[in-house]
Amino acid sequence: MKVWLDGQLVDKADAKLSMFDHGTLYGDGVFEGIRVYGGKIFECQAHMDRLFASASKIRLTIPYTQEQIVAAMAQTLVANGMADGYIRLVVTRGVGTLGLNPNRCPRGSVFVIAGQIELYPREMYERGMPVIIAKTRRTSPAMLDPSVKSLNYLNNIMAKIEATDAGVGEAIMLNDRGEVSEATGDNIFIVKDGAVLTPPVSAGILQGITRRVVMELCAAAAIPCREQTMTPADLFAADECFLTGTAAEVIPVTKIDHRDIAAGTVGPISQRLITAFHEFIRL
Protein backbone atom coordinates (compact mmCIF):
# COMPACT_ATOMS: atom_id res chain seq x y z
CA MET A 1 0.00 0.00 0.00
CA LYS A 2 1.13 3.53 -0.81
CA VAL A 3 0.25 6.46 1.45
CA TRP A 4 0.42 10.12 0.43
CA LEU A 5 2.27 12.02 3.15
CA ASP A 6 3.01 15.72 2.80
CA GLY A 7 3.56 15.68 -0.93
CA GLN A 8 5.11 12.24 -1.36
CA LEU A 9 3.86 8.72 -1.92
CA VAL A 10 5.54 6.40 0.55
CA ASP A 11 5.19 2.73 1.43
CA LYS A 12 2.80 1.97 4.27
CA ALA A 13 5.71 0.88 6.46
CA ASP A 14 7.42 4.24 5.95
CA ALA A 15 4.33 6.41 6.54
CA LYS A 16 5.14 7.88 9.93
CA LEU A 17 4.38 11.02 11.94
CA SER A 18 6.70 12.51 14.51
CA MET A 19 5.92 11.66 18.12
CA PHE A 20 5.96 15.45 18.62
CA ASP A 21 3.12 16.00 16.15
CA HIS A 22 0.23 17.54 18.08
CA GLY A 23 -2.13 15.20 16.26
CA THR A 24 -0.35 12.36 18.03
CA LEU A 25 0.15 14.12 21.35
CA TYR A 26 -3.24 15.77 21.74
CA GLY A 27 -5.59 14.62 18.97
CA ASP A 28 -5.24 18.11 17.50
CA GLY A 29 -6.39 17.91 13.92
CA VAL A 30 -9.29 17.19 11.59
CA PHE A 31 -10.19 14.48 9.12
CA GLU A 32 -12.62 13.23 6.50
CA GLY A 33 -13.67 9.70 5.61
CA ILE A 34 -14.56 9.57 1.92
CA ARG A 35 -15.97 6.82 -0.27
CA VAL A 36 -14.79 6.03 -3.79
CA TYR A 37 -17.17 4.36 -6.23
CA GLY A 38 -16.09 3.38 -9.73
CA GLY A 39 -12.99 5.55 -9.48
CA LYS A 40 -15.06 8.61 -8.55
CA ILE A 41 -14.60 10.35 -5.21
CA PHE A 42 -18.09 10.50 -3.73
CA GLU A 43 -19.36 14.00 -2.86
CA CYS A 44 -15.79 15.26 -3.16
CA GLN A 45 -16.54 18.98 -2.95
CA ALA A 46 -18.76 18.55 0.09
CA HIS A 47 -15.96 16.70 1.88
CA MET A 48 -13.42 19.35 0.92
CA ASP A 49 -15.68 22.13 2.15
CA ARG A 50 -16.28 20.38 5.46
CA LEU A 51 -12.58 19.63 5.96
CA PHE A 52 -11.57 23.24 5.43
CA ALA A 53 -14.46 24.51 7.57
CA SER A 54 -13.46 22.17 10.41
CA ALA A 55 -9.86 23.33 10.18
CA SER A 56 -10.90 26.98 10.16
CA LYS A 57 -13.00 26.54 13.29
CA ILE A 58 -10.01 25.20 15.24
CA ARG A 59 -7.68 27.77 13.63
CA LEU A 60 -5.65 25.14 11.83
CA THR A 61 -4.08 26.24 8.54
CA ILE A 62 -4.09 23.48 5.93
CA PRO A 63 -0.82 23.79 3.99
CA TYR A 64 -2.39 22.80 0.66
CA THR A 65 -5.25 24.08 -1.44
CA GLN A 66 -8.42 22.07 -2.00
CA GLU A 67 -7.29 21.37 -5.54
CA GLN A 68 -3.94 20.04 -4.35
CA ILE A 69 -5.63 17.74 -1.84
CA VAL A 70 -8.05 16.41 -4.43
CA ALA A 71 -5.07 15.72 -6.71
CA ALA A 72 -3.31 13.95 -3.82
CA MET A 73 -6.33 11.70 -3.28
CA ALA A 74 -6.49 10.87 -6.98
CA GLN A 75 -2.77 10.12 -7.01
CA THR A 76 -3.13 7.80 -4.02
CA LEU A 77 -6.01 5.93 -5.64
CA VAL A 78 -4.00 5.36 -8.80
CA ALA A 79 -0.92 4.27 -6.84
CA ASN A 80 -3.00 1.62 -5.07
CA GLY A 81 -4.96 0.55 -8.15
CA MET A 82 -8.21 1.28 -6.32
CA ALA A 83 -11.53 2.01 -8.04
CA ASP A 84 -13.83 1.25 -5.10
CA GLY A 85 -12.90 1.83 -1.49
CA TYR A 86 -12.41 4.32 1.29
CA ILE A 87 -10.13 7.33 1.74
CA ARG A 88 -9.03 8.60 5.11
CA LEU A 89 -7.83 12.18 4.73
CA VAL A 90 -6.16 13.63 7.84
CA VAL A 91 -4.75 17.05 8.71
CA THR A 92 -2.75 17.32 11.93
CA ARG A 93 -1.52 20.43 13.70
CA GLY A 94 2.01 19.33 12.90
CA VAL A 95 5.25 18.98 14.82
CA GLY A 96 5.58 21.20 17.86
CA THR A 97 6.79 21.23 21.42
CA LEU A 98 5.36 19.56 24.50
CA GLY A 99 2.42 21.58 25.78
CA LEU A 100 -0.91 22.48 24.24
CA ASN A 101 0.11 25.73 22.53
CA PRO A 102 -0.71 25.22 18.82
CA ASN A 103 1.31 28.30 17.86
CA ARG A 104 4.43 26.23 18.45
CA CYS A 105 3.54 24.04 15.48
CA PRO A 106 4.82 25.96 12.45
CA ARG A 107 3.21 23.77 9.77
CA GLY A 108 0.39 21.24 9.64
CA SER A 109 0.81 17.77 8.21
CA VAL A 110 -1.51 16.06 5.71
CA PHE A 111 -1.79 12.41 4.78
CA VAL A 112 -4.09 10.32 2.59
CA ILE A 113 -4.80 6.61 3.07
CA ALA A 114 -6.71 4.72 0.37
CA GLY A 115 -7.93 1.29 1.39
CA GLN A 116 -10.97 -0.79 2.21
CA ILE A 117 -13.38 -0.54 5.12
CA GLU A 118 -16.27 -2.69 6.28
CA LEU A 119 -17.85 -1.59 9.54
CA TYR A 120 -20.58 -4.20 9.76
CA PRO A 121 -21.18 -7.73 8.42
CA ARG A 122 -22.98 -7.77 5.08
CA GLU A 123 -25.90 -9.77 6.47
CA MET A 124 -26.81 -6.84 8.74
CA TYR A 125 -27.61 -4.76 5.67
CA GLU A 126 -30.19 -7.36 4.70
CA ARG A 127 -31.58 -8.36 8.11
CA GLY A 128 -30.95 -5.25 10.19
CA MET A 129 -28.61 -4.46 13.03
CA PRO A 130 -29.13 -4.49 16.81
CA VAL A 131 -27.86 -1.43 18.70
CA ILE A 132 -27.93 -0.07 22.23
CA ILE A 133 -28.43 3.35 23.76
CA ALA A 134 -25.11 4.30 25.33
CA LYS A 135 -24.69 5.64 28.85
CA THR A 136 -21.87 7.83 27.51
CA ARG A 137 -23.34 11.17 26.47
CA ARG A 138 -22.43 13.09 23.35
CA THR A 139 -20.01 15.97 23.89
CA SER A 140 -22.09 19.12 24.33
CA PRO A 141 -22.01 21.81 21.59
CA ALA A 142 -21.13 24.21 24.42
CA MET A 143 -17.86 22.27 24.80
CA LEU A 144 -16.98 21.67 21.15
CA ASP A 145 -18.76 22.66 17.95
CA PRO A 146 -20.13 19.34 16.63
CA SER A 147 -19.52 20.49 13.05
CA VAL A 148 -15.77 20.06 13.69
CA LYS A 149 -14.77 16.56 12.58
CA SER A 150 -11.78 16.40 14.87
CA LEU A 151 -9.20 13.70 15.52
CA ASN A 152 -10.26 13.50 19.16
CA TYR A 153 -12.89 10.73 19.07
CA LEU A 154 -12.52 9.46 22.64
CA ASN A 155 -16.12 10.38 23.53
CA ASN A 156 -17.38 8.26 20.63
CA ILE A 157 -14.91 5.48 21.38
CA MET A 158 -16.19 5.12 24.94
CA ALA A 159 -19.74 4.67 23.60
CA LYS A 160 -18.41 2.20 21.02
CA ILE A 161 -16.84 0.17 23.83
CA GLU A 162 -20.29 -0.04 25.41
CA ALA A 163 -21.67 -1.41 22.15
CA THR A 164 -18.87 -3.96 21.90
CA ASP A 165 -19.39 -5.05 25.50
CA ALA A 166 -23.11 -5.53 24.72
CA GLY A 167 -22.27 -7.64 21.67
CA VAL A 168 -23.81 -5.24 19.16
CA GLY A 169 -22.37 -3.20 16.31
CA GLU A 170 -23.30 0.31 17.30
CA ALA A 171 -24.49 2.60 20.09
CA ILE A 172 -26.89 5.52 19.96
CA MET A 173 -25.68 8.54 21.92
CA LEU A 174 -27.90 11.01 23.75
CA ASN A 175 -27.00 14.64 24.35
CA ASP A 176 -26.78 16.30 27.76
CA ARG A 177 -30.55 16.93 27.67
CA GLY A 178 -31.31 13.25 27.15
CA GLU A 179 -32.31 13.74 23.51
CA VAL A 180 -31.21 11.43 20.70
CA SER A 181 -28.12 12.81 18.99
CA GLU A 182 -26.33 10.29 16.76
CA ALA A 183 -24.51 6.98 16.76
CA THR A 184 -20.78 6.75 17.48
CA GLY A 185 -19.92 7.25 13.82
CA ASP A 186 -23.23 7.55 12.02
CA ASN A 187 -26.35 9.70 11.89
CA ILE A 188 -29.70 8.19 12.88
CA PHE A 189 -33.10 8.26 11.20
CA ILE A 190 -36.43 6.81 12.21
CA VAL A 191 -39.61 6.32 10.21
CA LYS A 192 -42.94 7.10 11.86
CA ASP A 193 -46.33 7.11 10.12
CA GLY A 194 -44.69 7.27 6.71
CA ALA A 195 -42.38 10.21 7.52
CA VAL A 196 -38.60 10.04 7.84
CA LEU A 197 -37.27 11.89 10.90
CA THR A 198 -33.73 12.73 12.01
CA PRO A 199 -32.34 14.77 14.92
CA PRO A 200 -31.62 18.46 14.22
CA VAL A 201 -28.23 20.16 14.42
CA SER A 202 -29.24 21.52 17.85
CA ALA A 203 -29.12 17.94 19.18
CA GLY A 204 -25.32 18.07 18.84
CA ILE A 205 -24.92 16.07 15.65
CA LEU A 206 -22.31 16.14 12.94
CA GLN A 207 -24.11 17.05 9.74
CA GLY A 208 -23.21 13.94 7.80
CA ILE A 209 -22.78 14.10 4.06
CA THR A 210 -24.54 10.77 3.59
CA ARG A 211 -27.28 12.12 5.89
CA ARG A 212 -27.81 15.03 3.50
CA VAL A 213 -27.82 12.76 0.46
CA VAL A 214 -30.49 10.54 2.04
CA MET A 215 -32.63 13.58 2.87
CA GLU A 216 -32.34 14.65 -0.77
CA LEU A 217 -33.30 11.14 -1.89
CA CYS A 218 -36.39 11.39 0.31
CA ALA A 219 -37.35 14.65 -1.39
CA ALA A 220 -36.82 13.13 -4.85
CA ALA A 221 -39.03 10.16 -3.93
CA ALA A 222 -41.74 12.36 -2.33
CA ILE A 223 -41.12 10.76 1.07
CA PRO A 224 -41.80 13.29 3.87
CA CYS A 225 -38.54 14.01 5.69
CA ARG A 226 -37.79 16.51 8.43
CA GLU A 227 -35.53 17.22 11.35
CA GLN A 228 -37.17 16.63 14.71
CA THR A 229 -36.00 16.45 18.30
CA MET A 230 -36.51 12.93 19.59
CA THR A 231 -36.10 10.91 22.78
CA PRO A 232 -35.41 7.22 23.38
CA ALA A 233 -39.19 6.74 23.65
CA ASP A 234 -39.48 7.91 20.03
CA LEU A 235 -36.92 5.31 18.98
CA PHE A 236 -38.82 2.49 20.67
CA ALA A 237 -42.10 3.66 19.12
CA ALA A 238 -40.65 3.99 15.60
CA ASP A 239 -41.95 2.00 12.66
CA GLU A 240 -38.44 1.75 11.20
CA CYS A 241 -34.91 2.91 11.99
CA PHE A 242 -31.68 3.20 10.02
CA LEU A 243 -28.22 4.74 10.27
CA THR A 244 -26.24 6.65 7.64
CA GLY A 245 -22.55 7.41 7.29
CA THR A 246 -19.72 7.44 4.80
CA ALA A 247 -18.30 4.10 5.91
CA ALA A 248 -21.65 2.58 6.96
CA GLU A 249 -23.56 3.91 3.93
CA VAL A 250 -27.23 3.16 4.83
CA ILE A 251 -27.86 0.32 7.30
CA PRO A 252 -31.18 -0.67 8.88
CA VAL A 253 -31.61 -1.02 12.64
CA THR A 254 -34.13 -3.60 13.81
CA LYS A 255 -33.43 -3.83 17.54
CA ILE A 256 -32.57 -1.22 20.20
CA ASP A 257 -31.65 -2.28 23.74
CA HIS A 258 -32.92 -5.79 22.96
CA ARG A 259 -36.32 -4.43 21.91
CA ASP A 260 -37.54 -5.02 18.37
CA ILE A 261 -38.34 -1.98 16.24
CA ALA A 262 -41.88 -2.67 14.99
CA ALA A 263 -41.79 -6.23 13.60
CA GLY A 264 -38.03 -6.53 13.99
CA THR A 265 -37.51 -6.64 10.23
CA VAL A 266 -36.21 -4.15 7.67
CA GLY A 267 -39.05 -1.76 6.86
CA PRO A 268 -40.24 -0.80 3.37
CA ILE A 269 -39.13 2.85 3.47
CA SER A 270 -35.68 1.88 4.78
CA GLN A 271 -35.35 -0.67 1.99
CA ARG A 272 -36.53 1.85 -0.56
CA LEU A 273 -33.90 4.38 0.55
CA ILE A 274 -31.14 1.76 0.66
CA THR A 275 -31.95 0.86 -2.94
CA ALA A 276 -32.13 4.53 -3.95
CA PHE A 277 -28.76 5.21 -2.33
CA HIS A 278 -27.10 2.33 -4.17
CA GLU A 279 -28.52 3.62 -7.43
CA PHE A 280 -27.36 7.15 -6.64
CA ILE A 281 -23.75 6.22 -5.93
CA ARG A 282 -23.44 4.49 -9.28
CA LEU A 283 -24.65 7.47 -11.32
Side-chain angles (χ1 to χ4, degrees):
M1 174 187 283
K2 294 288 187 180
V3 175
W4 192 94
L5 175 60
D6 285 326
Q8 297 182 44
L9 284 169
V10 297
D11 289 330
K12 176 182 176 180
D14 298 322
K16 298 180 176 66
L17 291 178
S18 166
M19 67 181 69
F20 288 95
D21 191 299
H22 278 211
T24 303
L25 287 172
Y26 306 113
D28 187 355
V30 295
F31 78 98
E32 286 291 317
I34 309 172
R35 280 280 187 177
V36 181
Y37 299 109
K40 181 180 178 181
I41 299 173
F42 182 65
E43 295 291 309
C44 184
Q45 190 58 55
H47 281 289
M48 288 298 98
D49 290 343
R50 189 170 67 180
L51 178 76
F52 276 75
S54 290
S56 177
K57 287 175 181 177
I58 66 169
R59 296 172 66 178
L60 168 58
T61 299
I62 299 178
Y64 300 94
T65 65
Q66 288 196 17
E67 293 75 16
Q68 287 173 321
I69 291 178
V70 171
M73 291 192 294
Q75 185 181 5
T76 309
L77 292 172
V78 171
N80 289 286
M82 198 177 82
D84 292 277
Y86 178 83
I87 292 171
R88 177 56 61 96
L89 167 60
V90 178
V91 184
T92 73
R93 186 73 67 175
V95 175
T97 58
L98 294 177
L100 296 178
N101 190 348
N103 295 327
R104 294 181 177 175
C105 305
R107 187 180 189 277
S109 184
V110 179
F111 62 87
V112 178
I113 300 170
Q116 302 297 326
I117 190 168
E118 185 177 272
L119 293 188
Y120 311 116
R122 295 311 306 174
E123 58 265 24
M124 286 186 177
Y125 288 85
E126 300 172 0
R127 301 175 186 174
M129 177 170 66
V131 304
I132 62 167
I133 297 176
K135 295 180 176 65
T136 302
R137 295 294 176 101
R138 180 89 166 106
T139 299
S140 168
M143 301 173 186
L144 178 67
D145 185 343
S147 68
V148 175
K149 197 169 175 66
S150 83
L151 295 183
N152 196 322
Y153 250 51
L154 190 56
N155 176 242
N156 306 63
I157 290 168
M158 296 308 296
K160 189 71 169 184
I161 289 172
E162 291 186 48
T164 301
D165 288 346
V168 299
E170 188 55 283
I172 306 304
M173 302 180 73
L174 308 180
N175 62 23
D176 55 357
R177 298 185 297 272
E179 301 162 348
V180 176
S181 181
E182 61 182 17
T184 66
D186 306 316
N187 293 117
I188 184 168
F189 289 78
I190 64 170
V191 179
K192 186 65 177 177
D193 298 328
V196 175
L197 311 174
T198 191
V201 174
S202 60
I205 69 163
L206 174 74
Q207 294 189 65
I209 290 168
T210 304
R211 172 183 181 269
R212 172 184 54 77
V213 168
V214 166
M215 294 177 79
E216 291 172 353
L217 291 173
C218 284
I223 299 171
C225 181
R226 64 181 183 271
E227 294 182 333
Q228 180 173 302
T229 299
M230 60 184 73
T231 67
D234 295 312
L235 299 184
F236 296 130
D239 299 324
E240 304 176 37
C241 181
F242 60 90
L243 306 180
T244 64
T246 295
E249 300 179 315
V250 183
I251 183 166
V253 171
T254 50
K255 192 185 294 287
I256 301 176
D257 280 350
H258 308 291
R259 297 166 62 172
D260 284 345
I261 301 302
T265 57
V266 180
I269 292 179
S270 297
Q271 188 58 65
R272 186 177 172 188
L273 289 171
I274 290 168
T275 300
F277 181 77
H278 288 160
E279 292 172 350
F280 180 78
I281 63 180
R282 293 301 178 187
L283 291 177

